Amino acid sequence: MAARMLDGALVAQHIRREVAPGVAAFTERAGRPPGLGIVLVGEDPASEIYVRTKLKSAGDEGLRADLHRVPATASLDDVLRLVAELNESEMHDGILVQSPLPAAMGEDAERRVFDLVRPDKDVDGLHPINVGRLVQNRATLVSCTPAGIIELLERSNVAIRGARAVVIGRSDIVGKPMALLLLHRHATVTICHSRTVDLPGVAAAADILVAAIGRPGFVTPAFVKPGATVIDVGTTHVADRAVVERLFPPGSKRHEVFERRGSIVVGDVHPDVAQVAGALSPVPGGVGPLTIAMLLKNTLTAAQLRAGA
Ligand code: NAP
């Protein structure tokens, strides 16, 4: 039987609708809307798309969102200076530095930049103080993608308490906070990564399987317990015909989109998983809109907290 599709876009709409009155009330009280400063370094095509969507969504919901562009040739110090300015800005309640930074800035560039963002403006939940609070299950700003996935699971009535959850991927922005959020809701959590032995076997024990690795179609039916809930986080822009046709044969809808556009966004979960899973959050249209909705929510929360509400 085909999996129930979890409607991330619809849940995202609901979250945005819930955020709207808070934005209006804050704006009325403060005489200005909640503000988000986005820093984009270089011209990574995927980042350009993400940032454009974030700016538009923030504007649509009545938030102020400013884009601060930095050329790829700039130095790490230039980026740090900009973040320091945003830290002091009265207009900006949230700061988001779009990842990845150019490789030339050095291996520890992201860490240095994220560490400089004021914890109370850290809408990506990456500052060590916010990560520490998350580890201890205290109220804090939490990374948008995993927070959105929890909203999706809870609002779709997927039982988390007592469930076995497997998270594939251990990044600071998705895998680790995802595992902690599931743990705090009483799932029994396993985190997998590139050195995990027998990954399909470990994954196939999961009632809830979250795939966040960035490998198109990696999670095949062999990874999935029949009836499990599968959340696909992966978003890889694929222009390689062979990869597309391995997953989406000519004549399929996704293949048609590929023919029209020359590339498509592909998740980590193989399309055949829909025949095994009980519920599935697909790519595109699943986790992406939730991430945006949670960014707006985090920005409002940061604004309210900074205003002492
Ligand atoms: P990341 O920082 O590159 O981390 C990838 C993780 O996957 C690492 O922990 C890596 O393991 C693991 N991995 C890679 N290949 C693997 C393999 N063959 N087997 C097992 N594990 C493997 O990526 P990320 O930032 O977490 O993002 C993951 C994916 O989610 C990407 O496609 C990204 O675009 C997408 N994403 C989507 C949204 C959204 O809003 N829709 C938001 C964030 C991210 P090691 O640690 O061992 O190297």
Side-chain angles (χ1 to χ4, degrees):
M1 219 175 72
R4 166 168 76 113
M5 287 297 150
L6 301 180
D7 196 340
L10 186 66
V11 171
Q13 243 180 48
H14 288 162
I15 295 168
R16 287 171 65 155
R17 218 172 286 149
E18 290 159 15
V19 164
V23 170
F26 178 91
T27 307
E28 167 98 33
R29 214 175 34 245
R32 66 166 183 90
L36 174 65
I38 299 181
V39 177
L40 177 60
V41 187
E43 281 148 24
D44 177 70
S47 295
E48 292 276 352
I49 297 171
Y50 298 146
V51 163
R52 216 180 305 138
T53 313
K54 288 168 186 174
L55 288 168
K56 178 173 184 323
S57 306
D60 287 349
E61 300 305 336
L63 290 91
R64 171 190 177 136
D66 300 312
L67 176 59
H68 301 263
R69 280 185 176 276
V70 181
T73 49
S75 68
L76 176 57
D77 280 343
D78 292 330
V79 180
L80 292 169
R81 247 192 312 275
L82 176 53
V83 170
E85 278 170 27
L86 289 169
N87 276 343
E88 296 306 317
S89 164
E90 280 307 317
M91 294 297 151
H92 297 101
D93 305 287
I95 302 171
L96 183 151
V97 182
Q98 185 66 43
S99 175
L101 294 177
M105 287 195 171
E107 250 183 34
D108 67 343
E110 287 199 352
R111 191 151 274 185
R112 286 187 58 194
V113 170
F114 297 149
D115 281 1
L116 187 66
V117 173
R118 271 172 60 150
D120 61 351
K121 294 191 177 188
D122 172 33
V123 285
D124 256 343
L126 288 167
H127 192 282
I129 286 188
N130 289 327
V131 175
R133 285 181 186 272
L134 173 62
V135 170
Q136 294 185 339
N137 199 15
R138 303 191 202 194
T140 188
L141 293 167
V142 177
S143 177
C144 302
T145 302
I149 292 170
I150 292 292
E151 293 287 342
L152 177 65
L153 292 171
E154 290 183 341
R155 294 177 193 228
S156 308
N157 298 315
V158 174
I160 302 177
R161 176 188 289 260
R164 280 176 187 240
V166 171
V167 180
I168 314 180
R170 56 175 164 181
S171 68
D172 289 344
I173 192 150
V174 187
K176 282 185 225 166
M178 183 77 257
L180 286 162
L181 291 171
L182 289 164
L183 178 69
H184 296 328
R185 283 159 185 78
H186 311 295
T188 300
V189 185
T190 305
I191 306 177
C192 298
H193 46 77
S194 64
R195 319 295 205 281
T196 298
V197 175
D198 184 22
L199 185 46
V202 177
D207 304 304
I208 298 171
L209 178 62
V210 180
I213 52 180
R215 312 252 166 213
F218 182 87
V219 174
T220 62
F223 288 63
V224 179
K225 178 161 90 176
T229 296
V230 179
I231 307 294
D232 192 353
V233 184
T235 40
T236 308
H237 294 261
V238 180
D240 182 335
R241 176 174 294 275
V243 176
V244 172
E245 293 190 349
R246 178 169 60 78
L247 299 168
F248 306 106
S252 64
K253 266 196 186 151
R254 300 301 312 285
H255 193 276
E256 277 171 25
V257 177
F258 170 69
E259 290 294 4
R260 241 185 2 257
R261 297 192 187 153
S263 73
I264 51 172
V265 173
V266 180
D268 292 338
V269 175
H270 194 287
D272 290 351
V273 166
Q275 303 309 317
V276 184
L280 175 64
S281 170
V283 170
V287 171
L290 285 165
T291 299
I292 303 281
M294 296 312 289
L295 173 64
L296 306 183
K297 189 173 177 179
N298 275 357
T299 304
L300 173 61
T301 302
Q304 289 168 333
L305 290 174
R306 274 170 27 80

